Amino acid sequence: MPDNIKPLKVSYHHGDLPQQAHQLALEILQEHGDAAISLRALAKQIGVSAPALYRHFIDRESLLAELAVTGFEELRERLLAVDQSKPRRALIEIGLVYVSFAQDEPNLYRLMFGGRVLPKGVHPRLDSAGKGAFQVLENTIARAQQAGYIKPMPLALMTAAAWSLVHGLSQLTIDGHLPSADAEPLLTEGVVTLLLDGSLADNEQQHKDTTS
């Protein structure tokens, strides 16, 4: 752990070592990035031996994977909270929520999608958590497509396109290449609407539904 990181005061209670290590690692990640996380340093801060911590996390990567799982679970919860009653607006809101999560948790977001650190297929729980968040996006796109707001293209293709848009926007924003939502609130919405079929709005779709 780098010398410039101030030790956090942690009171260890028997039986909750994995939870305390997870929380402490998450705090370090959020402030300093994943490179600052060390199992031995965590054990020292908590006040236990390194072997005691290794009984719960076989290596540093396994701990990072659990942190990424936490990130995907939180992202999924935020996406599930989007109102799905209006498919067109829901698609836009999904994009806004996705980018907002990345801006709120830039270091966690980088870890979640950093294939170099956590390659796909190595950590089943992480892969499952990622799919869970992805499924919310796919379901939202399916509803918007069924309502006529998205071109009738294969769902997998449209979902990949949507994910590429919001992920690319998120990465560019947290890396400082594009303004944040606070500086340019319409940027994210403008990017997401690129997926929509022309300028079809909610009231136009309602008119189509009543006349068809």
Side-chain angles (χ1 to χ4, degrees):
M1 185 177 299
D3 295 335
N4 64 335
I5 297 179
K6 296 180 179 179
L8 301 177
K9 293 183 178 179
V10 179
S11 177
Y12 169 60
H13 301 284
H14 180 71
D16 63 0
L17 177 57
Q19 292 83 359
Q20 286 197 308
H22 186 285
Q23 182 58 39
L24 178 56
L26 181 60
E27 293 171 5
I28 293 172
L29 170 68
Q30 290 170 327
E31 186 172 356
H32 302 285
D34 65 86
I37 296 174
S38 159
L39 283 177
R40 290 188 176 278
L42 285 173
K44 183 178 181 179
Q45 285 185 264
I46 295 172
V48 299
S49 66
L53 194 54
Y54 276 103
R55 283 197 291 269
H56 299 284
F57 303 101
I58 60 173
D59 55 23
R60 176 177 176 275
E61 188 178 277
S62 68
L63 173 58
L64 294 180
E66 287 303 312
L67 296 179
V69 167
T70 299
F72 277 115
E73 290 175 344
E74 180 182 344
L75 175 59
R76 183 174 184 273
E77 289 302 312
R78 292 197 192 189
L79 296 177
L80 285 172
V82 172
D83 183 1
Q84 294 284 343
S85 61
K86 294 182 179 180
R88 182 181 189 276
R89 188 63 212 174
L91 180 60
I92 295 173
E93 288 296 329
I94 281 286
L96 293 173
V97 168
Y98 188 102
V99 176
S100 177
F101 171 81
Q103 294 175 340
D104 291 344
E105 298 283 355
N107 287 333
L108 179 56
Y109 184 84
R110 292 186 182 99
L111 176 65
M112 290 159 58
F113 293 99
R116 180 185 61 79
V117 177
L118 298 172
K120 186 176 181 180
V122 176
H123 304 282
R125 268 177 45 81
L126 176 55
D127 292 341
S128 177
K131 289 178 182 178
F134 181 81
Q135 190 64 54
V136 181
L137 175 61
E138 185 174 67
N139 292 344
T140 303
I141 291 173
R143 293 188 189 98
Q145 193 172 52
Q146 290 167 4
Y149 296 118
I150 296 179
K151 296 177 181 179
M153 298 177 67
L155 179 59
L157 177 60
M158 293 306 299
T159 305
W163 192 15
S164 298
L165 282 175
V166 293
H167 175 66
L169 178 59
S170 297
Q171 197 70 56
L172 289 169
T173 300
I174 65 177
D175 286 345
H177 301 299
L178 289 174
S180 67
D182 292 338
E184 186 55 70
L186 297 181
L187 176 60
T188 300
E189 184 165 344
V191 170
V192 175
T193 54
L194 293 174
L195 290 170
L196 300 175
D197 191 3
S199 59
L200 187 63
D202 289 324
N203 58 348
E204 292 176 300
Q205 182 59 40
Q206 291 170 1
H207 177 71
K208 284 177 61 179
D209 294 340
T210 57
T211 57
S212 58

